[in-house]
Amino acid sequence: DIQMTQSPSSLSASVGDRVTISCRANQSITFYLNWYQQKAGEAPKHLIYGASSLRSGVPSRFSGSGSGTHFTLTISSLQPEDFATYYCQQSYSTPSLTFGGGTKVQIK
Amino acid sequence: QVQLVESGGGVVQPGRSLRLSCTASGLTFSTSGMHWGRQAPGKGLEWVAVISDDGSSKYYADSVKGRFTISRDNSKNAVYLQMNSLRPDDTAVYYCATNGREGVFYYMDVWGKGTTVTVSS
């Protein structure tokens, strides 16, 4: 089974900071990697597919990179509305999907 | 716009059954695969099951295989999750989501607001 591990599990940052979240797979998933954002009390929202492709409407300050087993979500300049929990998800084994454990981005 | 509304959650004793429903609007439902996912209190997201657009293919997470059954009724724009032999660790908010696709890349696209299932004696 494909396991996804995110780090850190939480981080504190200020508005305007550059934030980087890591996601690792226990085997190569090539580019089959999604990112989601979940704000407290809300359903998740899909942000990125194919490791680096932003879905329509997602602000350009979000970017994804990586391939194989190591992936990164970067927020170039953190905005107040970006404080949330972020999850990676592999779709290499579609239709079965696996989420990472999540990274909570908190206000410093 | 696409809207999904889950229902059927509640408090149930261990070993009992519950059926969740998800009703969709704003999309051609019969051409969309559908997922169920869940989130235990204070925990992360877990994918649970998926069903193809015509209902012919179904896949499950190992944690629910043999206990949960996903189904759909395209005449009612609805997808269901029949949950049997419920356990305390099935306690979670259950979400339905449409299947999104961009080329060869699949994802959980539009999500409902969720329905809460509590398994407790």
Side-chain angles (χ1 to χ4, degrees):
Chain A
D1 290 1
I2 300 175
Q3 310 293 331
M4 307 299 294
T5 302
Q6 288 182 235
S7 61
S9 57
S10 66
L11 63 90
S12 296
S14 300
V15 172
D17 283 353
R18 181 182 181 89
V19 169
T20 299
I21 297 169
S22 175
C23 174
R24 290 186 181 270
N26 66 343
Q27 68 178 74
S28 177
I29 57 170
T30 64
F31 297 97
Y32 292 88
L33 195 282
N34 298 309
W35 288 100
Y36 298 81
Q37 176 194 66
Q38 185 180 33
K39 297 180 180 178
E42 298 184 5
K45 292 182 180 178
H46 178 243
L47 298 177
I48 289 172
Y49 63 92
S52 61
S53 297
L54 263 62
R55 68 174 290 149
S56 177
V58 174
S60 60
R61 62 180 179 274
F62 289 91
S63 65
S65 64
S67 65
T69 62
H70 187 208
F71 303 87
T72 300
L73 174 69
T74 299
I75 308 172
S76 60
S77 178
L78 197 65
Q79 298 302 299
E81 61 268 30
D82 301 336
F83 291 96
T85 301
Y86 294 85
Y87 294 90
C88 62
Q89 179 198 54
Q90 67 81 19
S91 61
Y92 182 83
S93 60
T94 293
S96 299
L97 308 172
T98 313
F99 286 97
T103 297
K104 185 174 184 178
V105 176
Q106 303 177 97
I107 301 173
K108 181 182 285 185
Chain B
Q1 73 279 21
V2 177
Q3 285 192 317
L4 303 175
V5 179
E6 301 94 338
S7 60
V11 180
V12 61
Q13 293 180 328
R16 303 299 292 265
S17 299
L18 204 61
R19 189 176 89 148
L20 305 182
S21 301
C22 168
T23 302
S25 60
L27 77 164
T28 306
F29 184 74
S30 60
T31 64
S32 180
M34 295 294 296
H35 297 269
W36 283 98
R38 66 185 182 181
Q39 186 169 36
K43 302 297 185 183
L45 297 169
E46 181 185 14
W47 174 81
V48 172
V50 64
I51 187 167
S52 60
D53 53 4
D54 63 358
S56 62
S57 297
K58 306 171 185 181
Y59 298 88
Y60 300 91
D62 288 345
S63 59
V64 305
K65 201 172 295 182
R67 300 187 300 123
F68 289 12
T69 301
I70 190 171
S71 62
R72 65 189 295 157
D73 185 338
N74 285 347
S75 69
K76 296 182 178 179
N77 280 13
V79 62
Y80 307 101
L81 188 67
Q82 176 68 42
M83 304 185 296
N84 298 332
S85 303
L86 282 162
R87 311 186 302 219
D89 62 356
D90 293 318
T91 294
V93 175
Y94 284 75
Y95 297 99
C96 64
T98 60
N99 185 54
R101 177 183 175 183
E102 288 286 348
V104 298
F105 301 111
Y106 292 83
Y107 49 87
M108 298 170 76
D109 190 0
V110 178
W111 297 59
K113 295 185 184 300
T115 187
T116 300
V117 173
T118 302
V119 184
S120 174
S121 53

